[in-house]
Amino acid sequence: MGNQSFLFIVFIVIQLILTTHSLYFHIRETERKCFIEEIPDQTLVIGKYKVELFDAATNTYLPSTPGIGMHVEVKDPEEKIVLSKLYTSEGRFTFTSHTPGEHVICLYSNSTAWFGGQQLRVHLDIDIGEHAVDYQQISAKEKLTELQLRVRQLLDQVEQISKEQSYQRYREERFRATSESTNQRVLWWSIAQLLILVIAGFWQMRHLKGFFEAKKLV
Amino acid sequence: MLKLSLPIPLFLIVFLLKQICCNELTFELPDNAKECFHEKLKIGSKYTLEFQVVTGGNYDVDVELRSPSDKILFQVQKKQYDQIERTADEDGVYQFCFSNEFSTYTHKVIYIDWRVDGDPEHEISSANPRVAEGALTMIESKVGNIHRNLESCIDYQTHHRLREATGRARAEDLQERVQIWSIGQFILIIIVAIGTVLLLRSFFTDRRTPSSMTWHR
C-alpha cells in the first residue's frame, strides 16, 4: 500500500512536469503569428500559451515576466472577429465555432515598440474538438469508472468524426459551386469574345470601306 | 490506504488518455522565410512529425530536423508530404524547421502534426498491475481497439480535408483568374480593333497632301 501511494505521488509529480512541456517557437515583439484552423461548426477550441522574454544579461528566457501580454485575435471564415482579448503572459483562450470553415488564430504581444524589439519564446498548444475535452475534470465531477471514461472518450471521438463528415459535405458543395461557376464563366466569356471579334471585324471593314470611298481611293 | 487503490488505476488511465496527445498546427509560410519549432524531449520518447503543404506554388517545402547536439536527423528538399517517426536518443531541445527560401513570391500554407508518445518515467507507473477481472479486461481491450481505429479514422479525415483544401484553393484561384483574364481580353479586342482603324486612317490622311499636289499638275 505504501508502494502505491508512493507511485501516486510520483505520478502527480510527472503530471506537473509534463504539463509544462509543449511545442514552442520564437517571434519578435512586434511580430504577428497566425495559425489557420479548418473546423466544422459547433466545435470547441482551447488554446494554451506561455510567453517567455529573452534576457540578454543571462542569455536565457525568463519565465513569467510581468508586463508582457499577448493579444489573441480569432477571425471566422467571414473575416469577422470572434475573439479579441488581451491576456497575461500565460493564458488560455476558448472559443466555439459557429460557422464551418477556416478560422485564423493570431497572436501578437502588446509591445509598444515600433519595430524590431526583443525575442519572445511562445509555448503554444491548440486543442480542437475531442482533444479539448478534459477527462480528468469529467471523471472527478461525474465520478466515472475507467471503462465509463473510455466509452465517454469514444463517444466524443465519434461525434467529432460525424461533424467532420458533415463539414466535408459542405466543403464539397462549395467546391462544386465554384467549379460550376468557372464553367459558366468560361462558356459565356468565350461566346462574348467570339461575338465581339466578329462585330469588330465587320465594323472595321465597313468603316474602312466608307473611309476609302470618301477618299476616292476605291 | 485502501481508498488510494481505486483512484490510482483511474488516474493512470486518465493520464494515458491525456498523454497520447498531439499538436496540430496550420500556418502560412511567406516567401523567403524560415519557420522553426522546438520541443524539449526526454531520451527514449518516440516522436512523429507529419507535414503537408496545403496550398502554394509547387506544393513543396524544405524540412530539417535537428537534435539537441545540432546533428541533422532528417533533411529533405522540396517535399510535399512526409511522415517521420523517430525515437529520441538524447535529452534536450529538438527543433524542426520549414524553409520557403527557394521561392520568390509564393507563400505556402503548411500543416504539421507533431506527436510525442510516451516518456520513460511514464513506464514506471504503467508497470503497476491493475486489479481487474478477466471479463473487464477483454472489454477494455476491445474499447482500446475501437479507440485506436477511431483515431486513425480521424487522421484519414484530416488528410482528406487537406487534399480537398488543396483542390478547392486551386479551383477558386482558377475562377478568379478566368474572370480577370476574360475581361482583360474583351477590352483588349475592342482597343485593338479601334486602334487598327485609327492607325490606317492616319496613314492615308498624311499621304493625302503630297499626292493631291501631284494630281493637280
Side-chain angles (χ1 to χ4, degrees), chain A residues 16 41 45 50 53 61 66 68 72 84 87 89 93 103 106 114 121 130 145 156 167 173 181 190 206:
Chain A
L16 288 168
D41 65 344
V45 177
K50 195 169 90 155
L53 184 64
Y61 284 85
I68 299 272
V72 176
S84 179
Y87 294 89
S89 63
F93 57 92
H103 290 70
C106 285
W114 278 96
R121 177 179 286 183
E130 181 253 328
T145 67
D156 288 333
Y167 175 50
E173 204 180 300
S181 153
S190 305
R206 218 170 44 110

Side-chain angles (χ1 to χ4, degrees), chain B residues 39-210:
Chain B
E39 173 135 17
K40 194 163 179 186
L41 294 174
K42 291 215 166 40
I43 190 168
S45 41
K46 282 198 279 277
Y47 57 89
T48 308
L49 173 67
E50 207 177 332
F51 69 91
Q52 184 166 347
V53 183
V54 182
T55 60
N58 277 326
Y59 308 108
D60 49 6
V61 72
D62 292 344
V63 186
E64 198 180 70
L65 175 66
R66 277 177 188 271
S67 75
S69 51
D70 226 16
K71 198 173 61 173
I72 295 178
L73 296 170
F74 177 83
Q75 192 178 47
V76 77
Q77 308 263 12
K78 303 198 179 177
K79 201 101 192 278
Q80 181 183 14
Y81 168 81
D82 211 343
Q83 189 176 20
I84 309 151
E85 271 182 57
R86 296 282 152 89
T87 310
D89 47 358
E90 43 181 312
D91 261 351
V93 176
Y94 284 74
Q95 74 166 34
F96 50 94
C97 295
F98 297 92
S99 161
N100 196 21
E101 282 152 346
F102 56 84
S103 168
T104 37
Y105 55 85
T106 47
H107 40 243
K108 315 250 159 91
V109 172
I110 300 173
Y111 160 86
I112 58 171
D113 187 5
W114 170 254
R115 266 174 276 165
V116 179
D117 258 353
D119 227 53
E121 291 162 315
H122 170 49
E123 281 163 33
I124 305 169
S125 27
S126 72
N128 186 28
R130 290 194 326 264
V131 179
E133 298 154 32
L136 204 62
T137 313
M138 190 160 88
I139 292 178
E140 271 172 19
S141 73
K142 296 290 178 207
V143 163
N145 236 350
I146 297 174
H147 174 67
R148 272 188 295 277
N149 281 329
L150 287 179
E151 271 198 337
S152 87
C153 188
I154 291 175
D155 197 37
Y156 281 132
Q157 272 190 329
T158 305
H159 284 289
H160 185 325
R161 189 191 74 211
L162 293 173
R163 290 238 172 257
E164 192 271 340
T166 307
R168 189 165 29 99
R170 261 272 190 255
E172 285 176 358
D173 193 30
L174 183 69
Q175 185 198 39
E176 258 197 64
R177 271 192 284 163
V178 159
Q179 185 81 327
I180 291 170
W181 281 101
S182 301
I183 292 174
Q185 280 190 333
F186 194 84
I187 294 169
L188 193 70
I189 289 172
I190 295 171
I191 290 172
V192 165
I194 297 173
T196 311
V197 163
L198 286 174
L199 192 67
L200 269 169
R201 279 171 67 127
S202 73
F203 285 155
F204 289 95
T205 324
D206 283 346
R207 251 191 275 157
R208 175 79 173 133
T209 343

Side-chain angles (χ1 to χ4, degrees), chain A residues 1-5 7-8 10-12 14-15 17-19 21-27 31 33-40 48 102 121 124-128 130-131 134-137 139-140 144-147 149-151 153-155 157-158 160-165 167-168 171-172 174-175 177-179 181-182 185-186 189-190 192-194 196-197 200-201 203-205 207-208 211-212 215 217, chain B residues 1-2 4-5 7-28 35-42 93 96 109 112 114 119 121-122 124-125 128-131 136 139-140 143-144 146-148 150-151 153-154 157-158 160-162 164-165 167-169 171-172 174-176 178-179 181-186 189-190 192-194 196-197 200-202 204-205 208:
Chain A
M1 290 306 167
N3 199 22
Q4 274 189 329
S5 60
L7 282 167
F8 186 64
V10 166
F11 172 80
I12 294 296
I14 292 166
Q15 273 285 64
I17 292 169
L18 280 164
T19 45
H21 281 193
S22 63
L23 204 62
Y24 64 84
F25 52 91
H26 299 122
I27 56 167
E31 219 181 300
K33 197 84 173 78
C34 292
F35 294 96
I36 304 162
E37 297 293 344
E38 205 176 338
I39 44 180
K48 288 180 265 233
E102 281 188 3
R121 177 179 286 183
L124 185 65
D125 202 356
I126 299 178
D127 293 319
I128 301 169
E130 181 253 328
H131 294 296
D134 190 354
Y135 290 102
Q136 272 185 330
Q137 208 183 32
S139 79
L144 300 172
T145 67
E146 159 195 325
L147 189 65
L149 200 64
R150 274 190 177 269
V151 169
Q153 191 188 32
L154 288 180
L155 287 172
Q157 278 189 309
V158 164
Q160 184 178 345
I161 288 174
S162 103
K163 266 195 229 164
E164 185 86 27
Q165 290 282 65
Y167 175 50
Q168 196 213 309
R171 281 192 323 260
E172 195 270 337
R174 250 186 69 184
F175 183 71
T178 307
S179 299
S181 153
T182 305
R185 283 183 191 186
V186 164
W189 279 111
S190 305
Q193 284 183 350
L194 189 73
I196 199 78
L197 264 174
W203 175 79
Q204 278 187 326
M205 298 300 176
H207 187 92
L208 283 171
F211 176 70
F212 288 138
K215 299 275 180 205
L217 290 167
Chain B
M1 284 307 166
L2 261 156
L4 274 167
S5 65
I8 288 174
L10 178 67
F11 278 121
L12 281 170
I13 295 303
V14 165
F15 181 61
L16 274 164
L17 290 171
K18 200 185 161 200
Q19 178 61 8
I20 307 168
C21 196
C22 41
N23 227 323
E24 279 183 338
L25 293 169
T26 312
F27 60 95
E28 192 171 317
E35 205 65 58
C36 289
F37 294 91
H38 317 254
E39 173 135 17
K40 194 163 179 186
L41 294 174
K42 291 215 166 40
V93 176
F96 50 94
V109 172
I112 58 171
W114 170 254
D119 227 53
E121 291 162 315
H122 170 49
I124 305 169
S125 27
N128 186 28
R130 290 194 326 264
V131 179
L136 204 62
I139 292 178
E140 271 172 19
V143 163
I146 297 174
H147 174 67
R148 272 188 295 277
L150 287 179
E151 271 198 337
C153 188
I154 291 175
Q157 272 190 329
T158 305
H160 185 325
R161 189 191 74 211
L162 293 173
E164 192 271 340
R168 189 165 29 99
E172 285 176 358
L174 183 69
Q175 185 198 39
E176 258 197 64
V178 159
Q179 185 81 327
W181 281 101
S182 301
I183 292 174
Q185 280 190 333
F186 194 84
I189 289 172
I190 295 171
V192 165
I194 297 173
T196 311
V197 163
L200 269 169
R201 279 171 67 127
S202 73
F204 289 95
T205 324
R208 175 79 173 133

Side-chain angles (χ1 to χ4, degrees), chain A residues 38-142:
Chain A
E38 205 176 338
I39 44 180
D41 65 344
Q42 308 305 325
T43 308
L44 179 69
V45 177
I46 295 178
K48 288 180 265 233
Y49 74 88
K50 195 169 90 155
V51 181
E52 288 169 353
L53 184 64
F54 185 69
D55 183 24
T58 56
N59 215 30
T60 54
Y61 284 85
L62 297 171
S64 59
T65 317
I68 299 272
M70 289 294 268
H71 268 288
V72 176
E73 195 184 78
V74 179
K75 283 207 189 127
D76 75 350
E78 281 126 39
E79 306 275 327
K80 209 172 58 165
I81 292 179
V82 171
L83 176 76
S84 179
K85 263 168 89 167
L86 177 65
Y87 294 89
T88 57
S89 63
E90 187 165 346
R92 192 183 130 119
F93 57 92
T94 313
F95 70 93
T96 307
S97 59
H98 295 290
T99 36
E102 281 188 3
H103 290 70
V104 183
I105 301 167
C106 285
L107 297 166
Y108 53 100
S109 73
N110 64 340
S111 161
T112 45
W114 278 96
F115 56 89
Q118 292 165 294
Q119 270 219 329
L120 295 169
R121 177 179 286 183
V122 182
H123 296 253
L124 185 65
D125 202 356
I126 299 178
D127 293 319
I128 301 169
E130 181 253 328
H131 294 296
V133 178
D134 190 354
Y135 290 102
Q136 272 185 330
Q137 208 183 32
I138 290 175
S139 79
K141 201 170 69 166
E142 298 178 21

